[in-house]
Amino acid sequence: VAIYPYDYKTHPLLAFADQFEFKIDCVVDPVHSSAHGKDAGVVYSQEPLGVPVLANLDEIPTETDTLIVGNTDALQIGLREDVLLRILTWSVEKSKNVFSFCPVEPHIYCNLHKSAREKNLIWYSPSNFLNAIWNTNTQELEQDIDVPVIGVFGTSYNQGKLTTLLALRRWLCKEGYEVGVVGTNPIYALLKNGVCVVQDKRIPQYISLGEQIAYLRVSMAEVFQQRSHIILAGSQGGIIPPKLYSFNRPDFPDDYTLPAMAFLMASRPSAIVLIINTIDDEDYIRRSLTVLEAISNGKVVALAFADKVVHRDAYSYKQRWGRRLSPDEVSRLRKKYEEEFGLPAFCPYVQEQQKELAQRIIEVFAVD
């Protein structure tokens, strides 16, 4: 596969390249010209990966058969053009399959969609995720899930839930477990035994909360049918609406956390990892813990946090990171959280702590 464009949404594909059953041939980064021709691993703060950074689509090798398309919103604003249309046109001309994080609606790109079908090309995007679940024969699925379900929830958006889940999957797989994944990020659909459930602004507004829960339960059953030893369930952000807690976020609807609550009720995790921000005060975290445990009837068994400072606009859809924390700061935060909440705390951006978090999960279920 080739990845276009490189950004923080597609970064996990590189950081966890060992988790996917495909080879990354290259990354296309049309913005940062200084990265062109260099190793993507080195450029984007990782170990060398042997994956070159290219400047444009035409440099992608002919043998690459699939293009993974990340979020094109920022590029469309900057370039003032329908970037997705250009990418789809190129992919049809070059006979490439497409996996898109953005919806690729057949009725919008109807002529291109027809041409792709004539060439037996596959277009896969959030538009397919919902239809695939609705068309599933539920009578063939076992609804009683009797394997451990570990939920990954967070107090806000863009704080490391995907990184935490992929880190857990990496080390649980290394321990010999077959791991199923159900989550709201399109990347989950690229994993073996992984299902993406569309639950953010891409989901049609007419789908009621009850229907969302049913849709999620079918997704859980589909993953369980693959006979996974463990199911990881990764929700979108938000537990307590900021307006109910006194955060001044007038741009947020009162019910923006309802999808996460639907996910919690549908996945029914017996163990939960809660992702928190460095700016979350103690009372906010405790209330989040209480809500999660009361609704799921499970237990929060660990806390996790990012290795970067979080700005005060963390409770917005476009939260941004600040500077990276030093190892000493990470150690102090771990100690602080463990003392305040009586729970082990981990920074999944640190390799050693990824393994420690997985061992914590194994220990929880070993006791049972």
Side-chain angles (χ1 to χ4, degrees):
V1 307
I3 299 172
Y4 178 99
Y6 174 85
D7 60 14
Y8 76 100
K9 294 286 188 182
T10 53
H11 174 76
L13 293 170
L14 289 175
F16 293 91
D18 58 309
Q19 294 294 288
F20 303 98
E21 296 184 324
F22 51 76
K23 179 180 179 291
I24 301 174
D25 290 336
C26 58
V27 170
V28 181
D29 188 338
V31 176
H32 305 101
S33 58
S34 61
H36 299 161
K38 298 178 182 178
D39 186 286
V42 175
V43 172
Y44 305 122
S45 303
Q46 298 180 55
E47 297 296 321
L49 297 174
V51 176
V53 179
L54 308 181
N56 55 64
L57 292 170
D58 289 331
E59 296 181 13
I60 294 176
T62 54
E63 61 269 21
T64 301
D65 57 58
T66 301
L67 182 65
I68 296 179
V69 182
N71 194 325
T72 60
D73 292 348
L75 280 177
Q76 291 192 170
I77 294 172
L79 299 176
R80 297 183 180 181
E81 66 169 302
D82 189 338
V83 175
L84 188 56
L85 173 62
R86 174 163 57 82
I87 293 171
L88 294 175
T89 302
W90 179 89
S91 69
V92 171
E93 291 175 352
K94 302 297 183 180
S95 298
K96 309 291 187 187
N97 302 309
V98 172
F99 181 98
S100 174
F101 289 19
C102 306
V104 178
E105 304 285 2
H107 66 278
I108 296 177
Y109 305 100
C110 51
N111 292 333
L112 284 173
H113 188 261
K114 180 181 177 181
S115 299
R117 292 184 64 181
E118 290 173 351
K119 286 190 169 186
N120 294 318
L121 299 175
I122 297 171
W123 282 9
Y124 203 64
S125 79
S127 301
N128 303 88
F129 301 153
L130 195 59
N131 291 334
I133 295 299
W134 285 140
N135 294 328
T136 300
N137 184 351
T138 57
Q139 293 181 346
E140 296 178 358
L141 297 173
E142 298 181 38
Q143 300 293 324
D144 295 326
I145 298 172
D146 59 0
V147 299
V149 177
I150 296 96
V152 178
F153 290 80
T155 56
S156 75
Y157 288 93
N158 302 324
Q159 59 182 165
K161 290 176 288 296
L162 174 62
T163 295
T164 301
L165 189 144
L166 291 176
L168 263 176
R169 185 183 186 276
R170 167 186 281 165
W171 289 100
L172 289 172
C173 287
K174 286 185 177 183
E175 293 291 335
Y177 295 99
E178 288 289 335
V179 182
V181 174
V182 177
T184 58
N185 192 299
I187 286 178
Y188 296 138
L190 294 168
L191 294 166
K192 178 184 177 183
N193 296 343
V195 172
C196 173
V197 288
V198 181
Q199 241 203 333
D200 55 16
K201 62 183 180 181
R202 293 168 296 195
I203 196 168
Q205 296 302 310
Y206 59 80
I207 298 180
S208 69
L209 202 62
E211 288 179 306
Q212 287 185 45
I213 293 173
Y215 156 54
L216 286 158
R217 287 302 293 173
V218 172
S219 301
M220 293 287 295
E222 183 181 359
V223 171
F224 175 66
Q225 191 183 43
Q226 305 303 315
R227 292 297 181 263
S228 302
H229 299 132
I230 297 170
I231 296 177
L232 299 178
S235 171
Q236 69 178 64
I239 299 167
I240 302 174
K243 285 186 180 180
L244 298 183
Y245 188 75
S246 78
F247 291 119
N248 183 23
R249 299 301 312 180
D251 55 322
F252 268 33
D254 289 327
D255 60 352
Y256 95 99
T257 61
L258 287 181
M261 293 298 100
F263 196 99
L264 184 63
M265 289 184 277
S267 59
R268 303 172 193 173
S270 45
I272 298 170
V273 178
L274 174 61
I275 318 299
I276 59 179
N277 294 320
T278 54
I279 62 171
D280 291 339
D281 62 41
E282 183 175 342
D283 183 56
Y284 188 64
I285 295 173
R286 289 196 185 280
R287 291 193 187 193
S288 299
L289 293 169
T290 299
V291 170
L292 287 172
E293 294 184 344
I295 293 178
S296 69
N297 202 31
K299 294 290 293 182
V300 177
V301 299
L303 301 174
F305 60 95
D307 64 343
K308 300 179 184 66
V309 172
V310 178
H311 290 311
R312 279 285 166 189
D313 65 345
Y315 304 96
S316 69
Y317 295 109
K318 297 182 179 180
Q319 177 237 317
R320 292 290 181 264
W321 297 108
R323 66 174 179 81
R324 187 178 298 275
L325 299 172
S326 69
D328 286 343
E329 289 175 311
V330 170
S331 297
R332 285 198 297 270
L333 280 173
R334 288 189 75 182
K335 184 178 180 181
K336 171 190 171 184
Y337 293 140
E338 290 173 352
E339 290 177 351
E340 286 182 350
F341 304 105
L343 291 167
F346 306 93
C347 179
Y349 291 82
V350 179
Q351 288 279 340
E352 296 78 10
Q353 293 183 41
Q354 291 181 8
K355 184 176 181 180
E356 291 174 15
L357 177 57
Q359 289 298 327
R360 167 62 178 166
I361 296 300
I362 294 171
E363 290 168 4
V364 167
F365 291 102
V367 171
D368 294 339

